Amino acid sequence: MTTAQSPREGCEGYRRPAGRFPGRAGRRRAIVLGGVHLIIALHLLHWMVTGNTVSPVEPSESMYTLENGEVNAGFIFFIVVILSTAVLGRWFCGWACHVVALQDLCGWMMRKMGVQPRPFRSRLLAWVPYLLAFYMFFWPTLKRWSFPWLEQQIPAMVAWFTPVAPWPGFSNHLLVHDFWATFPSVLVAIPFFAICGFATVYLLGAKGFCTYGCPYGAFFTVADRIAPMTIVANMEACESCGLCTANCSSNVQISREIHIHDQVVDPGCMKCLDCVDVCPNGVLSYGPARPSMFVSGGPQSPKVRRKSHLSLTGEILLAIFFTLTWFSWRGVYEQIPLLMATGIALCATFLVWKSSQLLRRQDTSLQGISLHRAGTTSRAGRIVLAITTITILLTISAGQSRWSQNLAEQNFDAAMINLDQVLIAGQDPIPEQTKATAKRAADHFRDLLRFDRGGYALLEPAGTVLEERIGYMSAIAGDFEQARHWWQQAISENPSDELLLRYGQLVERVDGVKPLAIWLDDARKQYGDRAVLIGLRADLGRRQAFSALQQGQPMAAASHLKVLVRWIGEEPGLLEDIALLLDQAEATEEAKQFRERANFIRANGGIPAPVPDRP
Ligand code: SF4
Ligand code: SF4
């Protein structure tokens, strides 16, 4: 048997022999990943049945531990996985991650359709997972430490970031009632799977999202480099056929690495064991080895380091485009979560790169499909150009919305005051500067409306957050008609207690007490005996009674309180107040009836009984 010194030329292009995929390791992994998803489904079912369960076992939950001190199952799980990675190598991604399962499924489906996604290589974009890990897990703490000082030095800069809450200390969040609170809605989850699964796999390669978008992978990469377990090779038997490299969906240069180091050193290796399975000579196995950080050169060795598809200028330009795109999509419409924004930005960046190649080069192809040949753009090329153009236009629209959202929130925070100061008569006047800031906030929030409702956005945040905020800011700016308009819209969709209270106060402030009484009667018919409506009506009735009494009209005052019996029931105290007023109005017989009624209710343990002459 010959001992090969280097992999065969072009081994990366080799394919696994037809009919052998997914192989023993692949099948084992599919069974394990199926089991993981079954456990997730059972966890969800437990919550749906009992309403209370263990908090989500998701690494992303660690953010809430580091930001809010909430110790949850996800944080403990993440720590355990990082520690185990430092011993076993990067196993979690290959054997337990649902995003890898999704990518594997997409890759498998594409191979069935004859598409073998080739990996995209960029050195600068490979830093994205590390930056995301910093943003998610270290930035909140850094912000908490540094912002009190920065707020004094550069307040304008700090205003662009969400406010920092003081560290609340650790609290137990191992069990939760609102299991889904930190997850996106189903409407967001479906495009998330399409973008972070199919699109990234097709455009960036079989593990495109892991390579360029996974913040947890950044931790596993670091832990993997000190792990004493990896894929090792018995080089005596290697024939440099390159099958291992060709079949590694993590894009590890196995053949090249084992020829240099006798082991795999790339921390992108997910220990899926596909290479062990596919090697015809049994060269590879999973076992003890020198941690890659102590291997001379390691994955950074020039012989092992993968070549980028981009020039330095290209790397820089695409990194700038990625950053702008990511900031445009992150949190836009209050719907797009961080990982989805990352997936969108990665796909958009790749499309821009591919389209620029298409426009500049004689021959360009995408996953084996010719886009441009001998100066002629093919139908597929025109489709890619159209998709790229649409993606850029959508990104510009998202960026505009994100910009308006930032400005709106900044002005909203600056103008926010207790609405009692605006809606209740006799309060101190609102400073003109606050009014102007509130007007600016209302204008920026209006920009966030969908274009068919007068704004510039393609989508709006879920619920009535925009209507409520425009109404809120319009009220502070003194534009009560606008406030009325937007709160009416918000109430028609979401008649919350706060909105009903504020709307009632607004009606009284603008139209007076009688229109308020009429609106309250209508609102009660529509929304039922809500405590907020009853509270507003009781307050109104008592104020009307007090005012009538001050004008020397005890009978009118009694009438105002009698109305309240229909709202708050036969409360003995209320009946006695009515009796007192009737006494003052010299309606002693009626006063006697109310007093007797109050005594009767008290004597019967406060249980109201029918009133013959119920007002
Ligand atoms: S598949 Fe086996 S024999 Fe072929 S290059 Fe890889 S380790 Fe060597
Ligand atoms: S090097 Fe082998 S074990 Fe590691 S990811 Fe590639 S195929 Fe899987």
Side-chain angles (χ1 to χ4, degrees):
M1 188 170 291
T2 54
T3 304
Q5 293 307 309
S6 62
R8 274 188 207 160
E9 201 62 38
C11 67
E12 281 180 53
Y14 282 26
R15 300 270 173 100
R16 189 185 188 106
R20 288 194 59 192
F21 197 84
R24 277 195 313 276
R27 278 196 294 275
R28 272 201 300 269
R29 225 156 47 82
I31 292 167
V32 172
L33 285 168
V36 168
H37 285 81
L38 184 66
I39 292 169
I40 293 172
L42 290 174
H43 191 180
L44 190 60
L45 191 66
H46 181 251
W47 169 64
M48 290 166 82
V49 172
T50 65
N52 186 33
T53 190
V54 174
S55 46
V57 189
E58 265 286 325
S60 58
E61 297 292 304
S62 310
M63 280 193 306
Y64 305 104
T65 309
L66 298 171
E67 190 159 1
N68 308 329
E70 298 167 6
V71 178
N72 50 45
F75 174 70
I76 294 170
F77 177 70
F78 195 29
I79 295 291
V80 169
V81 172
I82 292 172
L83 291 177
S84 64
T85 301
V87 178
L88 301 174
R90 187 176 180 172
W91 65 272
F92 172 81
C93 307
W95 293 87
C97 175
H98 50 84
V99 178
V100 167
L102 174 71
Q103 289 176 104
D104 282 353
L105 179 69
C106 297
W108 177 78
M109 287 167 73
M110 283 180 203
R111 276 192 299 275
K112 285 272 172 202
M113 292 187 278
V115 179
Q116 185 94 3
R118 298 210 180 104
F120 169 63
R121 291 194 189 124
S122 159
R123 293 236 179 88
L124 274 187
L125 290 183
W127 282 92
V128 170
Y130 297 95
L131 295 173
L132 291 178
F134 172 81
Y135 174 77
M136 286 174 74
F137 300 107
F138 299 111
W139 174 238
T141 307
L142 184 69
K143 211 163 73 163
R144 188 173 283 123
W145 284 345
S146 61
F147 271 32
W149 178 80
L150 274 174
E151 226 158 9
Q152 291 173 349
Q153 308 301 319
I154 327 172
M157 187 191 99
V158 174
W160 280 89
F161 296 92
T162 45
V164 186
W167 173 247
F170 287 112
S171 55
N172 184 344
H173 280 249
L174 292 174
L175 294 177
V176 289
H177 298 290
D178 49 350
F179 181 80
W180 207 265
T182 52
F183 294 145
S185 67
V186 176
L187 280 181
V188 174
I190 292 168
F192 173 85
F193 287 133
I195 290 164
C196 299
F198 282 95
T200 52
V201 168
Y202 185 74
L203 299 175
L204 306 172
K207 293 289 190 305
F209 193 78
C210 304
T211 310
Y212 295 112
C214 179
Y216 320 118
F219 288 90
F220 301 145
T221 297
V222 173
D224 184 88
R225 297 196 63 187
I226 58 171
M229 299 287 285
T230 188
I231 303 297
V232 290
N234 167 19
M235 292 310 294
E236 297 282 311
C238 180
E239 290 180 333
S240 303
C241 66
L243 266 178
C244 49
T245 304
N247 284 282
C248 174
S249 59
S250 297
N251 190 29
V252 176
Q253 311 265 54
I254 308 168
S255 191
R256 190 165 293 162
E257 291 195 8
I258 59 176
H259 277 86
I260 298 168
H261 303 297
D262 288 355
Q263 66 182 76
V264 168
V265 292
D266 189 331
C269 167
M270 297 180 183
K271 315 296 178 271
C272 69
L273 308 185
D274 280 351
C275 55
V276 175
D277 195 30
V278 80
C279 174
N281 298 335
V283 172
L284 302 168
S285 60
Y286 171 68
R290 192 183 285 194
S292 66
M293 74 176 295
F294 301 120
V295 172
S296 167
Q300 298 311 317
S301 155
K303 289 180 191 164
V304 171
R305 207 163 53 198
R306 285 170 286 201
K307 261 183 99 176
S308 171
H309 284 140
L310 306 164
S311 65
L312 181 62
T313 313
E315 291 271 13
I316 292 169
L317 289 177
L318 284 192
I320 292 170
F321 180 83
F322 171 86
T323 308
L324 291 174
T325 310
W326 188 85
F327 275 107
S328 297
W329 286 99
R330 163 83 179 109
V332 72
Y333 317 129
E334 296 191 7
Q335 304 243 20
I336 307 293
L338 179 138
L339 292 186
M340 187 164 165
T342 306
I344 295 172
L346 286 170
C347 293
T349 305
F350 178 89
L351 284 169
V352 165
W353 171 66
K354 191 49 80 177
S355 295
S356 75
Q357 274 194 333
L358 195 158
L359 295 173
R360 283 182 295 120
R361 289 189 178 177
Q362 280 291 310
D363 295 315
T364 308
S365 63
L366 172 63
Q367 307 300 7
I369 300 170
S370 172
L371 303 180
H372 194 76
R373 174 161 294 172
T376 307
T377 302
S378 66
R379 190 158 168 264
R382 288 196 294 277
I383 291 172
V384 167
L385 285 177
I387 293 174
T388 307
T389 308
I390 291 169
T391 307
I392 290 173
L393 290 176
L394 290 176
T395 300
I396 291 170
S397 170
Q400 197 277 338
S401 289
R402 198 68 189 82
W403 182 255
S404 294
Q405 192 178 331
N406 267 352
L407 292 175
E409 280 168 5
Q410 269 182 41
N411 284 289
F412 180 83
D413 289 342
M416 204 160 54
I417 54 171
N418 188 335
L419 273 183
D420 288 352
Q421 203 180 328
V422 179
L423 298 176
I424 295 178
Q427 306 283 319
D428 289 340
I430 310 296
E432 285 305 315
Q433 196 186 347
T434 306
K435 282 185 170 181
T437 310
K439 186 176 179 323
R440 277 199 299 278
D443 290 343
H444 289 306
F445 278 127
R446 250 184 239 115
D447 291 344
L448 295 175
L449 291 164
R450 250 188 355 249
F451 61 89
D452 59 323
R453 299 216 301 154
Y456 298 107
L458 291 172
L459 290 174
E460 285 180 12
T464 55
V465 63
L466 281 183
E467 289 90 342
E468 288 176 36
R469 289 183 166 194
I470 297 171
Y472 190 167
M473 288 294 111
S474 299
I476 293 174
D479 190 344
F480 292 133
E481 281 316 308
Q482 278 292 310
R484 187 201 297 268
H485 171 77
W486 290 105
W487 278 347
Q488 274 174 352
Q489 290 201 14
I491 286 174
S492 67
E493 271 185 57
N494 170 33
S496 67
D497 284 356
E498 171 73 8
L499 267 174
L500 290 173
L501 172 72
R502 292 309 183 191
Y503 188 80
Q505 290 175 334
L506 180 76
V507 171
E508 182 176 352
R509 177 86 166 81
V510 178
D511 303 327
V513 290
K514 280 190 182 158
L516 172 60
I518 294 167
W519 176 76
L520 282 168
D521 283 338
D522 289 345
R524 191 185 187 193
K525 279 183 206 142
Q526 214 172 337
Y527 308 118
D529 283 337
R530 300 269 295 265
V532 63
L533 298 176
I534 292 171
L536 270 172
R537 189 63 187 85
D539 178 60
L540 174 66
R542 288 191 185 282
R543 282 188 289 117
Q544 285 175 313
F546 184 70
S547 164
L549 193 59
Q550 278 192 321
Q551 290 166 23
Q553 298 170 2
M555 190 50 117
S559 298
H560 288 307
L561 291 192
K562 281 182 196 172
V563 174
L564 293 192
V565 176
R566 291 206 299 267
W567 282 79
I568 60 177
E570 293 180 304
E571 196 189 85
L574 176 62
L575 297 181
E576 279 166 354
D577 287 346
I578 296 170
L580 273 175
L581 290 168
L582 289 170
D583 276 341
Q584 285 188 37
E586 296 178 353
T588 44
E589 191 50 40
E590 198 183 353
K592 191 175 154 207
Q593 283 182 13
F594 272 92
R595 201 163 281 117
E596 281 174 2
R597 186 83 197 135
N599 291 336
F600 176 83
I601 290 167
R602 277 218 175 87
N604 285 279
I607 302 166
V611 189
D613 58 344
R614 191 179 179 123

